Amino acid sequence: MSEIQVYPRVRALERGLELVSVLSEFGWATPKELAKKTGIHRTTIYRLLHTLEVNDYVHCRPGDGCYSLTRRFRLIADGIKDEDWVAQIVSFHLGNLLSQIQWPSDFVTFSSGRLIIRESTHRFSPMSVNRGMVGKSRPLLNSALGIVFLSAVSDESRERILTLAGLAGDESVKPENLENVMRRIQVARARGYAESSGETQHNISAIAVPICWRNRVLGAINIMFFRRALTPVKAAELYLDQLKRCAKGIEKELESLPLAEQTGWIRRRN
C-alpha cells in the first residue's frame, strides 16, 4: 500500500464532535452542563454552540437557554446507508486478509437487480492488474460471488433475486443456465464456498463465501487469483480457512451495528 500522510489533529473539530456526542446522548442541556459533561472550558462551549447554531446544527430554547441538536443531524444520519456501515467494517477485515495472502478480494451486495462491488483490495494488491473495482457489477450466475450468495439465501428470495437480475439486464441470467446453477448452488452449500474459473475474466479464478447478519444475507467476499497460478481447488486448500475466518470476523463485528432487520437485506436460508 502507498504511504499514508499523517496530518495534525484539528483540536477544535474534536471538541465540536465531542459536544455533539454529548448533546446526542443527553438531549437538552445548558452551556454550564455541557462544560461539566465534556470537560471543555465554558468559553469554548459558547463559541462552539454559536458556530453550530448559526449553521443550523443546534437550537437554543429561549425559555431556559438549553441547547439541543436540530433535525439536520437526522438528515445526515439518514444519508448513511446500512451498506456504508457494512463496507467500512468489511474494508478493515479485507485489508487484514490481503496482508496475509497478497491476492485481492472484493465484497459485493445485491442492489437494484445487480451484484455490486462495495469494497475491494485490488488497488492495494501486488497480485492484481485491476484498479477502481468499487461500483462495478459482477454476473450473478457466472461468478463465485454470485453462486455463493445464491447458496446462502432462502429459496423464495433466490427466485425474486433471479427475476430482478433478469429485469436489470444481467446477461448471465438465462433459462438454459438455471439447471447448472442449481447444481453449483448445491455444491457450494455442501462445501461452504463457491468457485469460478475464467467466467468473469478468462485469466482469473476465484473462491467466495457469504456474509450474513442474523437471519439476513448481506453479500459475499472472495479471493481472486490468476488461473495459471492456482486452481480453485488449490486456492481453497491454501486460503479457504483464512477467507472463512475473515467472514466470521466481519459477521462478529456486524453484531454491534443497528442494521435494518426487516428491510433492505435478503432473508437467509434456514
Side-chain angles (χ1 to χ4, degrees):
M1 296 185 185
S2 59
E3 184 178 350
I4 298 175
Q5 179 69 50
V6 178
Y7 295 97
R9 292 162 55 184
V10 181
R11 184 59 181 150
L13 178 58
E14 290 182 333
R15 288 172 174 170
L17 292 172
E18 186 177 357
L19 178 61
V20 167
S21 179
V22 168
L23 280 168
S24 175
E25 182 177 359
F26 295 101
W28 293 97
T30 65
K32 180 179 179 180
E33 291 170 335
L34 291 169
K36 183 177 180 180
K37 292 181 185 298
T38 62
I40 300 172
H41 193 277
R42 198 186 304 183
T43 302
T44 302
I45 289 288
Y46 277 112
R47 292 204 304 269
L48 292 171
L49 287 171
H50 175 70
T51 301
L52 289 168
E53 186 177 16
V54 297
N55 286 280
D56 197 29
Y57 285 105
V58 300
H59 172 73
C60 179
R61 192 163 56 194
D64 56 7
C66 286
Y67 286 81
S68 179
L69 301 179
T70 67
R71 67 185 298 271
R72 190 165 186 180
F73 277 102
R74 177 62 182 272
L75 295 175
I76 293 173
D78 285 347
I80 303 174
K81 298 181 179 180
D82 284 356
E83 290 169 352
D84 300 329
W85 285 343
V86 173
Q88 289 175 36
I89 288 176
V90 169
S91 177
F92 172 79
H93 289 274
L94 288 190
N96 282 344
L97 181 63
L98 176 65
S99 69
Q100 298 169 34
I101 67 172
Q102 300 302 299
W103 294 107
S105 299
D106 296 317
F107 165 65
V108 297
T109 64
F110 185 76
S111 178
S112 300
R114 296 185 180 276
L115 210 57
I116 305 296
I117 297 175
R118 302 297 182 183
E119 187 52 83
S120 174
T121 57
H122 274 274
R123 62 193 181 278
F124 302 121
S125 174
M127 311 295 283
S128 175
V129 296
N130 296 308
R131 294 293 184 270
M133 297 298 291
V134 174
K136 292 184 178 180
S137 62
R138 278 289 174 259
L140 188 63
L141 306 190
N142 293 342
S143 66
L145 288 165
I147 295 298
V148 85
F149 176 73
L150 291 172
S151 76
V153 304
S154 68
D155 292 343
E156 181 183 354
S157 296
R158 185 183 67 248
E159 295 306 314
R160 291 201 300 268
I161 289 167
L162 291 172
T163 299
L164 287 171
L167 291 172
D170 188 329
E171 295 182 358
S172 71
V173 182
K174 299 177 181 178
E176 58 267 28
N177 292 342
L178 297 183
E179 184 176 346
N180 180 53
V181 165
M182 288 307 302
R183 285 196 296 268
R184 294 181 67 181
I185 287 174
Q186 293 303 322
V187 171
R189 287 175 177 174
R191 289 177 172 177
Y193 75 97
E195 64 178 47
S196 65
S197 182
E199 293 180 87
T200 56
Q201 294 175 259
H202 76 278
N203 62 329
I204 299 294
S205 295
I207 57 174
V209 296
I211 298 295
C212 302
W213 176 80
R214 300 181 186 176
N215 66 339
R216 295 292 192 267
V217 181
L218 306 193
I221 59 173
N222 69 3
I223 296 173
M224 299 180 69
F225 42 90
F226 296 124
R227 291 179 67 189
R228 66 176 182 270
L230 293 169
T231 65
V233 171
K234 186 62 177 179
E237 179 184 323
L238 293 173
Y239 305 127
L240 182 59
D241 286 346
Q242 289 156 296
L243 183 61
K244 286 185 174 181
R245 282 197 296 270
C246 179
K248 290 297 183 185
I250 292 168
E251 291 172 350
K252 182 178 180 180
E253 193 169 349
L254 287 174
E255 282 297 320
S256 65
L257 290 185
L259 302 180
E261 189 163 353
Q262 300 304 320
T263 59
W265 301 108
I266 298 165
R267 186 167 294 280
R268 186 177 184 177
R269 182 174 66 92
N270 293 330

